[in-house]
Amino acid sequence: MDKEKLYQYIHSMIESSTKKPKYMSISTVKVASLLGFTAGEVEKSLNDFIGEGRLKKARLEVPPFHDIYLLP
């Protein structure tokens, strides 16, 4: 699995978001299907990116209370 390709894909998804501030709710299953990875690999990589400080994870405070990912 190419983690850098995954990061660039997620980064561009967040950058293209029209929300203020820019954030994205990411479906690991959908990303895995699009890029040919497993959902587990995507989830682990997202957690690695958070640990490295390349992404931030938060939860929406209003319904639907999704986990969202933001750029630092």
Side-chain angles (χ1 to χ4, degrees):
M1 179 172 114
D2 186 1
K3 283 179 64 173
E4 208 47 46
K5 178 182 175 183
L6 175 62
Y7 178 75
Q8 291 302 318
Y9 183 77
I10 291 171
H11 186 275
S12 66
M13 285 173 55
I14 295 170
E15 280 291 316
S16 66
S17 172
T18 58
K19 300 168 182 78
K20 301 289 183 198
K22 292 183 180 277
Y23 66 85
M24 186 62 91
S25 175
I26 298 172
S27 166
T28 56
V29 174
K30 188 175 280 188
V31 170
S33 176
L34 288 170
L35 298 178
F37 304 137
T38 66
E41 289 174 322
V42 173
E43 185 69 35
K44 181 184 179 312
S45 295
L46 285 172
N47 289 330
D48 291 345
F49 296 147
I50 293 166
E52 295 167 4
R54 297 171 80 179
L55 289 177
K56 291 182 181 179
K57 184 176 181 179
R59 182 174 280 274
L60 289 177
E61 296 178 4
V62 294
F65 303 111
H66 288 293
D67 288 333
I68 59 171
Y69 295 88
L70 306 103
L71 298 174

